[in-house]
Amino acid sequence: VMFMLAGTGYMCVLEGWSFLDSIYWGVITVSTTGYGDLNPSEDHRAAASIYILLSCAMFAFTIASMMAVFVAKAKRDAANEFMRAALTPELLVAMDEDGDGGVDLNEFRIFMLTKLGFVEQETMDEIDAAFRALDVDNSGTLDKDDLVGTTISPNLKMQANQKDPMVCNSVAYEFNKNC
């Protein structure tokens, strides 16, 4: 709005247009309609061109920001509706990753994060692979026995090099080792 008013003032002062004509030009220009009935003079076209580029970019950013708010609200509403749904036997089976017939907090979190689109399953699989690679004694927990005095396992190096060098780099940085 402020940028629109600045353009309106610019056209009023430099081109000598009326306030109404200047607002009309600004709205038509920013919305990229451009009827061509009002044009800046040759002397002011360079400055008007810069204004047009900046105002169109700001307009696009504003529209994109408003759409992001609506999309986020719709996603939040869908998530709330999904979370309020009744637990069915099919849903319980889908959540039960280890097949033990029950869903623990971790399985519930993973299912909800992936199902609601906050995290992709591939990302969760990569995190799991990094954990398993660091769990040297295969205890299912990371403790000092896994980390102190050990090097990054060849398994993690291989997975990191095949899938995502950032995994190797972040783990290597953390332990001050080179992959």
Side-chain angles (χ1 to χ4, degrees):
V1 174
M2 295 302 290
F3 200 70
M4 175 73 78
L5 290 176
T8 300
Y10 168 78
M11 296 315 260
C12 280
V13 172
L14 295 179
E15 291 294 332
W17 294 347
S18 70
F19 184 74
L20 188 58
D21 281 347
S22 297
I23 287 180
Y24 168 78
W25 177 83
V27 170
I28 296 304
T29 300
V30 167
S31 66
T32 68
T33 304
Y35 293 121
D37 50 348
L38 288 174
N39 297 308
S41 65
E42 286 283 330
D43 295 340
H44 304 121
R45 282 201 181 153
S49 295
I50 293 170
Y51 172 78
I52 290 167
L53 288 172
L54 293 174
S55 63
C56 288
M58 286 184 182
F59 182 71
F61 176 76
T62 301
I63 296 298
S65 297
M66 290 184 340
M67 291 303 296
V69 168
F70 290 120
V71 168
K73 184 182 179 331
K75 191 173 184 178
R76 219 175 16 253
D77 291 346
N80 286 333
E81 184 177 328
F82 181 76
M83 287 188 284
R84 285 193 303 267
L87 183 63
T88 64
E90 294 83 15
L91 196 55
L92 188 65
V93 169
M95 287 184 197
D96 186 16
E97 286 200 16
D98 60 9
D100 67 354
V103 176
D104 63 26
L105 180 60
N106 188 46
E107 289 172 319
F108 182 78
R109 283 181 181 157
I110 291 169
F111 180 82
M112 295 304 282
L113 288 171
T114 54
K115 194 70 168 177
L116 296 175
F118 293 111
V119 179
E120 294 180 12
Q121 184 61 47
E122 183 178 308
T123 302
M124 296 302 295
D125 293 342
E126 290 173 3
I127 291 170
D128 291 350
F131 179 88
R132 285 191 299 275
L134 291 171
D135 185 17
V136 176
D137 61 2
N138 293 320
S139 65
T141 60
L142 296 178
D143 55 24
K144 65 181 180 178
D145 295 333
D146 293 314
L147 302 177
V148 176
T150 63
T151 59
I152 298 170
S153 74
N155 186 28
L156 179 60
K157 288 180 189 178
M158 182 181 69
Q159 289 174 0
N161 289 330
Q162 289 175 353
K163 286 192 171 185
D164 186 2
M166 290 304 292
V167 172
C168 183
N169 292 341
S170 64
V171 171
Y173 175 78
E174 194 68 32
F175 298 106
N176 198 19
K177 305 250 189 266
N178 293 322
C179 285

